[in-house]
Amino acid sequence: MHDIAILGAGRIGRIHAKNVASQPGLRLKYVVDPVAAAADGLAGETGASVADLETALNDPAVAGVIVASSTDTHLDYSLKAIAAGKAVFCEKPIDQDLARARSASGELGGKGVKLFLGFNRRFDPNFQGLKARLSAGVVGALETVHITSHDPAPPPVSYVKVSGGLFKDMTIHDFDMARWLLDEPVSEVFAAASCLVDPAIGEAGDVDTAKILLRTASGKICMISNSRRSGYGYDQRIEAFGSKGLVRADNVMESTVSIWGENGAASDAFQNFFLDRYAEAYRREMAHFAEIIRGEALPSVGYVDGVEALALAEAAGLSAKTGQVVKL
Amino acid sequence: MHDIAILGAGRIGRIHAKNVASQPGLRLKYVVDPVAAAADGLAGETGASVADLETALNDPAVAGVIVASSTDTHLDYSLKAIAAGKAVFCEKPIDQDLARARSASGELGGKGVKLFLGFNRRFDPNFQGLKARLSAGVVGALETVHITSHDPAPPPVSYVKVSGGLFKDMTIHDFDMARWLLDEPVSEVFAAASCLVDPAIGEAGDVDTAKILLRTASGKICMISNSRRSGYGYDQRIEAFGSKGLVRADNVMESTVSIWGENGAASDAFQNFFLDRYAEAYRREMAHFAEIIRGEALPSVGYVDGVEALALAEAAGLSAKTGQVVKL
Amino acid sequence: MHDIAILGAGRIGRIHAKNVASQPGLRLKYVVDPVAAAADGLAGETGASVADLETALNDPAVAGVIVASSTDTHLDYSLKAIAAGKAVFCEKPIDQDLARARSASGELGGKGVKLFLGFNRRFDPNFQGLKARLSAGVVGALETVHITSHDPAPPPVSYVKVSGGLFKDMTIHDFDMARWLLDEPVSEVFAAASCLVDPAIGEAGDVDTAKILLRTASGKICMISNSRRSGYGYDQRIEAFGSKGLVRADNVMESTVSIWGENGAASDAFQNFFLDRYAEAYRREMAHFAEIIRGEALPSVGYVDGVEALALAEAAGLSAKTGQVVKL
Amino acid sequence: MHDIAILGAGRIGRIHAKNVASQPGLRLKYVVDPVAAAADGLAGETGASVADLETALNDPAVAGVIVASSTDTHLDYSLKAIAAGKAVFCEKPIDQDLARARSASGELGGKGVKLFLGFNRRFDPNFQGLKARLSAGVVGALETVHITSHDPAPPPVSYVKVSGGLFKDMTIHDFDMARWLLDEPVSEVFAAASCLVDPAIGEAGDVDTAKILLRTASGKICMISNSRRSGYGYDQRIEAFGSKGLVRADNVMESTVSIWGENGAASDAFQNFFLDRYAEAYRREMAHFAEIIRGEALPSVGYVDGVEALALAEAAGLSAKTGQVVKL
């Protein structure tokens, strides 16, 4: 049985805390959160203790640390936890600033570093199924990819202002998916972006709608479509075009119920957002973290992936601003 | 070029007349209909002449006769046209009365008789595709079949009264499909029937909702579901369960358009009724009739099929009335 | 926190034991199983103790008993547990013998008896969604129902011999679904049954393929389709036809992945069997059992439902044997 | 009855000729083709006469001319036919050279000019249905569009060499769809293009794979995906994202047949290419041409649309070559 400390008792921290509980071999020992009520609440529900960061990191029984605190602390806490000899499960992004993120390369960039970066989509059963077919050559050699990633509804502008912008906050996931699927470096980035959903987002200096094209040296092309608002729930789809055919992963509905009426067939609603769609992905993340702690696996996604996705986000931001292609 | 006479210028007659026009090698010469306005109208549209039955049958240039007149004339006109040496394309049913239909067995039941009975569903591309997979053994040996056949809305009670009843008017098509797919004689019939759609249908002595089970000597089972009203258009589906899997033919929508909204995905409307759903089937029927006229094929469905389907309809009616299984 | 004893540490017992663990407010205290290795194994995994039946029933801390032992013990254990003042979650069926089941009506048939019968399908999110739409009148008044329930592959003949036969072992679930959806008593049963899957099943005196028609006094009709082998996984579908349209619950696939190739679009596999398809149903069953223990709800399905489903199974068996309709 | 002359008796000419025959009010009088065998063959099948261009244009009975000859003759023949007072149905593209196409603006660019340009996709029932929903505001205000347009297999390199290149030969259709759906001028074009399908296409100086982004002044964005080879038939899909939801038009399968087996559900094949997919679109084009001839409608798509689509194709070609965004 390995003890775990969780940093951050917010929405995503609570999900991870519950998944620790149901993961054989892991036990939640500490909840660390500057908001006492949040820490107390989660500790009470899980039987863990509230602690401060030092206590958690100094306890030799703690084998793993989950960094689910605010984005600006991700890098710092990860560095401290790694320095303390803990395995780390850090929520994305590793940081909002590319230069700062890169500066930790000495401590975090090594092959054996047990820093697992929580790009949840890599653990979604649908996307894992798609990736497995691609790797097995079911559709031949990969040529191009379409990633559709639209949120159900825009966040409050207050969030947008501290989010790092669409590309670092939202597309960051899609950049990671693109890197995972393309499996070779991106050499060109072009982003066409607009503010069509909420003028307040534009006034805050951000965009809410974008299509991004990524191109690799060998000519593979990936298109990413983003919108802060779909009107129909969480739109999370991938199409990968290969030399022999297409492999797709589609959206997930609430159930298989449908109604047939005079206007045709109507499905059940689309799953609304990430808590539903990626519930199983979060469970699989925790299973992977348990493997890392037990020394059975190295992180399948880590610091370097975080930095590279961030680099693509910065390039996309630059392209959207200048209207020009950005070469990497 | 072969000349054709059509008997009956009503809804179904008009469809066949147009398909004659577009069928290479056929030419519509005569339209026969006691309603002068109908005959004149169709003749005017197609360039054919209005004639009486004798003229049409005595004209040696006429190679084929299409019997699309009222049901009570089907058998008589078919007999006359066969006697006159014409190939015959007779709309279903061959007759509403089983004994009378059987009495024509000497004239119409022979192998070489050129009487093509228009069971249109055998010519639907979807059902033909299903049958082809079954015959090719794609799902192994056939075990059971589900035929769903619901009309969009009930006909007027005036029609119901002369229709011969649900089993002879509507299920007759499904009995033919069952015979075609089961490919062995039905030995038991059980029908559970109700009047749920329109009480006036019940008052007229008929039912509007039924599930029928057919069983063959070898144990194959077919379920037929009928309703005079679906609420969502024409429901025409088949599922055939085999030893290795299932082959299905589904309904057809107006288009591939769908709308995704907060309540889920909504398709376009289902095709509403047989004129849409079986448009291609009617064209393929005419192509088959042209083959028969040219001597390239014998009727793939004919008098015997009409009689056998009628026998199943009578058995179902008896079962529904007595509440007992009917053995054949 | 309420303590639970589980009787039976086999496949289904293990599922329930894990769901007790993840259900807030419930704690597994005892595992009872005559097979010591099974009891020890499950106790070890869950932290519960191995005990005999008397110990479990005599412990006043035990609030609920889960009867997941062999079918022939269901009724006896349920009676004992109820007598001991425990809430009971009994796996289906209540018994294989209708007369014996009925004989417990005094002890188990009362309104307030806390006997929850585990008809899992009532807790499947898809079927619950379908039922909710029906109850809300989304498709108008219910007229007829199609229940398709095919297993992926037949069980060993040794199991078939002690199973009580297809209707009591397999269709029992569908009879319960039919009762739940029709919401009025069935007055007529007709079953057409065959042995098409495995001749050894026929030699054992059972059937492996059946279509059953149920009819209510008001004329509603339900068709149940059963096969011991589908060739494509677990086929668990319902279509409910109403006066305004159709509501369906479809099968569940392993994922939303599909492959497009020269032969068309190919989905991922169908979920193979009940452990996958009804995993969420089992969780919801346990949540309901927790409500019952806490006194927040009476069993939504119980002894009477078990007896009535068994009565339909006996009627279907009689109908299949005599070839006649059975009136209830 | 209006007489029609068709210029070009190749594959597309033959389709149009047959649609003239089945269009009430139109009659094919002349077939013009320098290849005598082709002209004779089509004339024989349709009952038309072989003629030279002058005869056809000088015959006052000829009301309409269909230009289905080789691409380099489209502009010249259209000019001559318009000058002769005929209504013209010109196959796309109007020309391969933008400057030359623009030079005809005086003769062809006027509002009342009866030049109908055959962008067939505007007449596809699926895309018309999508456009109708957009126009009706079913998904709110249009924001972005995805057009997927992949051919089943690459053409011979000999064709590629004279095709004008991917953007003018293939994407030209998609540019027209984009213009039709966006309904406002495109201000920026970026194309990422590769040669991934057939190296010989690259050696011929062309690309076979491309993703193109179009942006309008108001910020609407359209993505076009092209490949010369899909591996699964003709991929012709559109997704239009609006402020309230998504409207899609999907591919069309050969039939509604599907097979359920141990690997899941397999549909029938996708329709393979444009002759199948756009058969109904060609019929609707001819119905529109008949309206134009009868003076009941002006061309819904004409010379200006051809020039504008060509301008987008040139811009895309430039962008692909320079790797930079092209502003219009």
Side-chain angles (χ1 to χ4, degrees):
Chain A
M1 197 66 82
H2 294 100
D3 285 339
I4 302 293
I6 191 157
L7 317 185
R11 187 167 57 172
I12 193 69
R14 295 174 60 81
I15 290 170
H16 291 318
K18 289 183 180 179
N19 286 335
V20 169
S22 68
Q23 182 62 40
L26 299 190
R27 182 169 50 195
L28 189 66
K29 186 164 186 182
Y30 298 119
V31 176
V32 180
D33 196 302
V35 181
D40 288 344
L42 185 54
E45 287 178 51
T46 57
S49 309
V50 172
D52 60 13
L53 181 60
E54 288 64 38
T55 306
L57 294 185
N58 289 335
D59 183 343
V62 169
V65 173
I66 299 170
V67 181
S69 45
S70 63
T71 296
D72 59 321
T73 65
H74 286 187
L75 190 63
D76 182 41
Y77 288 179
S78 292
L79 282 164
K80 284 180 173 155
I82 288 291
K86 312 303 188 193
V88 174
F89 173 177
C90 180
E91 263 302 309
K92 71 92 210 169
I94 186 71
D95 199 87
Q96 279 186 9
D97 184 83
L98 179 56
R100 193 166 57 211
R102 280 192 169 140
S103 71
S105 142
E107 295 89 341
L108 301 179
K111 280 258 167 192
V113 176
K114 290 188 169 186
L115 172 63
F116 167 43
L117 193 65
F119 275 126
N120 54 1
R121 294 185 199 173
R122 292 203 190 200
F123 294 84
D124 174 69
N126 304 296
F127 296 148
Q128 288 190 330
L130 178 144
K131 173 74 172 173
R133 267 80 165 186
L134 269 186
S135 301
V138 173
V139 295
L142 179 67
E143 293 175 353
T144 72
V145 179
H146 291 177
I147 298 175
T148 302
S149 176
H150 296 197
D151 280 353
V157 171
S158 58
Y159 172 84
V160 168
K161 285 179 180 166
V162 300
S163 71
L166 183 82
F167 300 114
K168 290 185 180 175
D169 180 56
M170 188 170 163
T171 330
I172 192 90
H173 280 294
D174 307 305
F175 289 129
D176 182 61
M177 292 307 284
R179 291 186 62 251
W180 188 46
L181 297 174
L182 290 171
D183 213 17
E184 61 181 50
V186 170
S187 55
E188 287 175 35
V189 178
F190 177 72
S194 301
C195 179
L196 299 173
V197 172
D198 183 352
I201 292 176
E203 285 158 23
D206 201 1
V207 292
D208 51 33
T209 308
K211 313 276 177 194
I212 302 122
L213 290 182
L214 310 177
R215 198 161 175 275
T216 71
S218 77
K220 289 176 188 164
I221 306 169
C222 176
M223 187 279 300
I224 296 170
S225 176
N226 281 162
S227 172
R228 285 287 193 185
R229 182 255 297 115
S230 74
Y232 49 84
Y234 205 28
D235 193 351
Q236 296 282 292
R237 289 176 288 154
I238 297 178
E239 298 197 338
F241 299 87
S243 54
K244 292 181 187 166
L246 168 66
V247 54
R248 323 203 304 165
D250 270 308
N251 284 323
V252 182
M253 319 310 275
E254 292 283 352
S255 78
T256 65
V257 173
S258 61
I259 305 289
W260 291 10
E262 59 188 336
N263 296 318
S267 77
D268 203 348
F270 292 91
Q271 284 190 346
N272 188 63
F273 211 6
F274 66 95
L275 296 181
D276 294 319
R277 170 62 185 267
Y278 294 123
E280 175 62 18
Y282 290 124
R283 284 192 283 267
R284 293 186 181 197
E285 283 187 331
M286 197 56 66
H288 184 51
F289 190 45
E291 289 177 325
I292 294 165
I293 289 175
R294 291 193 302 262
E296 295 167 9
L298 284 175
S300 64
V301 51
Y303 167 81
V304 171
D305 301 291
V307 169
E308 291 299 321
L310 192 57
L312 291 174
E314 293 227 335
L318 182 61
S319 174
K321 194 165 293 176
T322 61
Q324 295 303 325
V325 179
V326 174
K327 314 264 179 185
L328 298 176
Chain B
M1 197 66 80
H2 293 100
D3 285 340
I4 302 294
I6 191 157
L7 317 185
R11 187 168 57 172
I12 193 69
R14 294 174 60 81
I15 290 170
H16 290 318
K18 288 183 182 178
N19 287 334
V20 169
S22 67
Q23 182 62 41
L26 299 191
R27 184 170 49 197
L28 189 65
K29 186 163 186 183
Y30 298 119
V31 176
V32 180
D33 196 301
V35 182
D40 288 345
L42 185 54
E45 286 178 52
T46 56
S49 308
V50 172
D52 59 15
L53 180 61
E54 288 64 37
T55 305
L57 295 186
N58 289 335
D59 184 342
V62 169
V65 172
I66 300 171
V67 181
S69 45
S70 62
T71 295
D72 58 320
T73 64
H74 285 188
L75 190 63
D76 182 40
Y77 288 178
S78 292
L79 283 165
K80 284 180 173 155
I82 288 290
K86 313 304 187 191
V88 174
F89 174 177
C90 180
E91 263 302 308
K92 70 94 210 169
I94 187 70
D95 199 86
Q96 280 186 9
D97 183 83
L98 179 57
R100 193 165 56 209
R102 280 191 169 141
S103 71
S105 143
E107 295 89 342
L108 302 179
K111 280 259 167 192
V113 175
K114 290 188 169 186
L115 172 64
F116 167 43
L117 193 65
F119 276 127
N120 55 359
R121 294 185 198 172
R122 293 203 190 199
F123 294 85
D124 175 67
N126 304 296
F127 297 148
Q128 288 190 330
L130 178 143
K131 172 75 173 172
R133 267 78 163 186
L134 270 186
S135 301
V138 173
V139 294
L142 179 67
E143 294 175 352
T144 71
V145 179
H146 291 177
I147 298 174
T148 302
S149 177
H150 295 197
D151 281 353
V157 171
S158 58
Y159 173 84
V160 168
K161 285 178 180 168
V162 300
S163 71
L166 184 82
F167 300 114
K168 289 185 180 176
D169 180 55
M170 188 171 163
T171 329
I172 191 90
H173 280 292
D174 306 305
F175 288 128
D176 183 61
M177 293 306 284
R179 290 186 64 250
W180 187 48
L181 297 173
L182 290 171
D183 213 16
E184 60 181 49
V186 170
S187 55
E188 287 175 35
V189 178
F190 177 72
S194 301
C195 179
L196 299 173
V197 172
D198 183 353
I201 293 177
E203 286 158 21
D206 201 0
V207 292
D208 51 34
T209 307
K211 313 277 177 192
I212 301 123
L213 289 183
L214 309 176
R215 197 163 176 273
T216 71
S218 77
K220 289 176 187 163
I221 306 168
C222 177
M223 188 280 299
I224 296 169
S225 176
N226 281 161
S227 172
R228 286 285 193 185
R229 182 256 296 113
S230 74
Y232 49 84
Y234 204 29
D235 194 349
Q236 295 282 293
R237 291 175 287 153
I238 297 179
E239 298 198 337
F241 299 87
S243 54
K244 292 181 185 166
L246 169 65
V247 54
R248 320 203 306 164
D250 269 308
N251 283 322
V252 182
M253 320 307 276
E254 291 283 352
S255 78
T256 65
V257 172
S258 61
I259 305 289
W260 291 11
E262 59 188 336
N263 296 320
S267 77
D268 202 348
F270 292 91
Q271 284 190 345
N272 188 62
F273 211 7
F274 66 95
L275 295 182
D276 294 319
R277 170 63 186 267
Y278 294 122
E280 176 62 18
Y282 291 124
R283 284 192 283 267
R284 294 187 180 196
E285 283 187 330
M286 197 56 66
H288 182 53
F289 190 45
E291 289 177 325
I292 295 165
I293 289 175
R294 290 194 301 264
E296 296 166 10
L298 285 174
S300 63
V301 51
Y303 167 81
V304 170
D305 302 290
V307 169
E308 292 299 320
L310 192 58
L312 291 173
E314 293 225 337
L318 182 62
S319 174
K321 194 165 293 177
T322 62
Q324 295 303 323
V325 178
V326 173
K327 313 264 181 185
L328 298 176
Chain C
M1 197 66 84
H2 295 100
D3 286 339
I4 302 294
I6 191 158
L7 316 185
R11 188 167 56 171
I12 192 69
R14 295 174 59 81
I15 289 169
H16 290 319
K18 289 183 181 178
N19 287 335
V20 169
S22 67
Q23 182 62 41
L26 299 191
R27 183 170 48 196
L28 189 65
K29 187 163 187 182
Y30 298 118
V31 175
V32 180
D33 196 301
V35 182
D40 288 345
L42 184 56
E45 285 177 53
T46 58
S49 309
V50 172
D52 59 15
L53 181 60
E54 288 64 37
T55 306
L57 295 186
N58 289 336
D59 183 342
V62 169
V65 172
I66 298 170
V67 181
S69 45
S70 61
T71 296
D72 59 321
T73 65
H74 286 187
L75 190 62
D76 182 42
Y77 288 179
S78 292
L79 282 165
K80 284 179 173 155
I82 288 290
K86 313 304 187 192
V88 174
F89 174 176
C90 179
E91 263 303 309
K92 69 93 212 171
I94 187 70
D95 199 88
Q96 279 185 9
D97 184 85
L98 180 57
R100 192 165 56 209
R102 281 191 168 140
S103 70
S105 142
E107 296 89 340
L108 302 179
K111 281 258 165 190
V113 176
K114 290 190 169 184
L115 172 64
F116 167 43
L117 194 65
F119 276 127
N120 55 0
R121 294 184 199 174
R122 292 203 190 199
F123 294 85
D124 175 67
N126 305 296
F127 296 147
Q128 287 190 331
L130 178 143
K131 173 74 173 173
R133 267 79 164 186
L134 269 187
S135 300
V138 173
V139 295
L142 179 67
E143 295 175 352
T144 72
V145 179
H146 291 178
I147 298 174
T148 302
S149 176
H150 295 197
D151 281 353
V157 171
S158 58
Y159 173 84
V160 168
K161 286 179 180 166
V162 299
S163 71
L166 183 83
F167 299 114
K168 290 186 180 175
D169 180 56
M170 188 170 165
T171 328
I172 191 88
H173 280 293
D174 307 304
F175 289 128
D176 183 61
M177 293 306 283
R179 291 186 62 252
W180 187 48
L181 297 173
L182 290 171
D183 213 17
E184 60 180 51
V186 169
S187 55
E188 287 176 35
V189 178
F190 176 72
S194 300
C195 179
L196 299 173
V197 172
D198 183 351
I201 292 176
E203 287 158 20
D206 201 0
V207 292
D208 51 33
T209 307
K211 314 276 178 194
I212 301 122
L213 290 183
L214 309 177
R215 198 161 176 275
T216 71
S218 78
K220 289 177 188 163
I221 307 169
C222 176
M223 187 280 300
I224 296 170
S225 175
N226 282 161
S227 172
R228 286 286 194 186
R229 182 255 297 114
S230 74
Y232 49 85
Y234 204 29
D235 193 349
Q236 296 282 292
R237 290 175 287 154
I238 297 179
E239 298 197 337
F241 299 86
S243 55
K244 292 181 186 166
L246 168 66
V247 53
R248 322 203 305 165
D250 269 309
N251 284 323
V252 182
M253 319 309 276
E254 292 284 353
S255 78
T256 65
V257 173
S258 62
I259 306 289
W260 291 10
E262 58 188 336
N263 296 320
S267 76
D268 202 349
F270 292 90
Q271 283 190 347
N272 188 61
F273 211 7
F274 66 95
L275 296 181
D276 294 319
R277 169 63 185 266
Y278 293 121
E280 176 62 18
Y282 290 124
R283 284 192 285 268
R284 293 186 181 197
E285 282 187 332
M286 197 56 66
H288 183 52
F289 191 45
E291 289 177 325
I292 295 165
I293 289 174
R294 292 194 302 263
E296 296 167 9
L298 284 174
S300 63
V301 52
Y303 167 81
V304 170
D305 302 290
V307 169
E308 292 300 320
L310 192 57
L312 290 174
E314 293 226 336
L318 182 62
S319 174
K321 193 164 293 175
T322 62
Q324 294 304 323
V325 178
V326 173
K327 314 265 178 184
L328 297 176
Chain D
M1 198 65 83
H2 294 101
D3 286 339
I4 301 294
I6 192 157
L7 316 185
R11 186 166 58 171
I12 193 69
R14 295 173 61 81
I15 290 169
H16 290 319
K18 289 182 181 179
N19 287 336
V20 169
S22 67
Q23 182 63 40
L26 299 190
R27 183 169 49 196
L28 189 65
K29 186 163 187 183
Y30 298 118
V31 176
V32 179
D33 196 301
V35 181
D40 288 345
L42 184 54
E45 287 178 51
T46 57
S49 308
V50 172
D52 60 14
L53 180 60
E54 288 64 37
T55 306
L57 296 185
N58 289 335
D59 182 342
V62 169
V65 172
I66 299 169
V67 181
S69 45
S70 62
T71 295
D72 59 321
T73 64
H74 286 187
L75 190 63
D76 182 41
Y77 288 179
S78 293
L79 283 165
K80 284 180 173 153
I82 289 290
K86 313 304 188 192
V88 174
F89 174 177
C90 180
E91 264 303 309
K92 70 92 209 171
I94 186 70
D95 200 87
Q96 279 185 11
D97 184 82
L98 180 57
R100 194 167 54 209
R102 281 192 169 140
S103 70
S105 142
E107 296 90 339
L108 302 179
K111 280 260 166 189
V113 174
K114 290 190 168 183
L115 173 64
F116 167 43
L117 194 65
F119 276 127
N120 54 0
R121 294 185 200 173
R122 293 203 190 199
F123 294 84
D124 175 68
N126 304 297
F127 296 148
Q128 288 190 330
L130 178 143
K131 173 73 173 173
R133 267 80 164 186
L134 270 186
S135 300
V138 173
V139 295
L142 179 67
E143 294 176 354
T144 72
V145 179
H146 291 177
I147 298 174
T148 302
S149 176
H150 295 197
D151 281 353
V157 172
S158 57
Y159 173 84
V160 168
K161 286 179 179 167
V162 299
S163 71
L166 183 83
F167 300 114
K168 290 185 180 175
D169 180 56
M170 187 170 164
T171 329
I172 192 87
H173 280 292
D174 306 305
F175 288 128
D176 182 62
M177 293 306 284
R179 292 186 63 251
W180 188 48
L181 297 173
L182 290 171
D183 212 17
E184 60 181 50
V186 170
S187 56
E188 288 176 34
V189 178
F190 177 72
S194 301
C195 179
L196 299 172
V197 173
D198 183 353
I201 293 176
E203 286 158 21
D206 201 0
V207 293
D208 50 34
T209 308
K211 313 276 178 194
I212 302 124
L213 290 182
L214 309 177
R215 198 162 176 275
T216 71
S218 77
K220 289 176 188 164
I221 306 168
C222 177
M223 188 281 299
I224 296 169
S225 176
N226 282 161
S227 172
R228 285 287 194 184
R229 182 257 296 115
S230 73
Y232 50 85
Y234 204 29
D235 194 350
Q236 296 283 291
R237 289 176 287 154
I238 296 179
E239 297 197 337
F241 299 86
S243 54
K244 292 181 186 166
L246 168 65
V247 54
R248 322 203 305 165
D250 270 309
N251 284 322
V252 182
M253 319 309 275
E254 292 283 352
S255 78
T256 65
V257 173
S258 61
I259 305 289
W260 290 11
E262 60 188 334
N263 296 318
S267 76
D268 201 348
F270 292 92
Q271 284 190 346
N272 188 61
F273 210 7
F274 67 96
L275 295 182
D276 294 320
R277 170 61 185 268
Y278 293 122
E280 175 61 19
Y282 290 124
R283 283 193 283 266
R284 294 185 180 198
E285 283 187 330
M286 196 56 65
H288 184 51
F289 191 45
E291 290 177 324
I292 295 165
I293 288 175
R294 292 193 301 263
E296 296 166 9
L298 284 174
S300 63
V301 51
Y303 167 82
V304 171
D305 302 289
V307 169
E308 292 299 319
L310 192 58
L312 291 173
E314 293 226 335
L318 183 62
S319 174
K321 194 165 293 176
T322 62
Q324 295 303 324
V325 178
V326 173
K327 313 265 179 184
L328 296 177

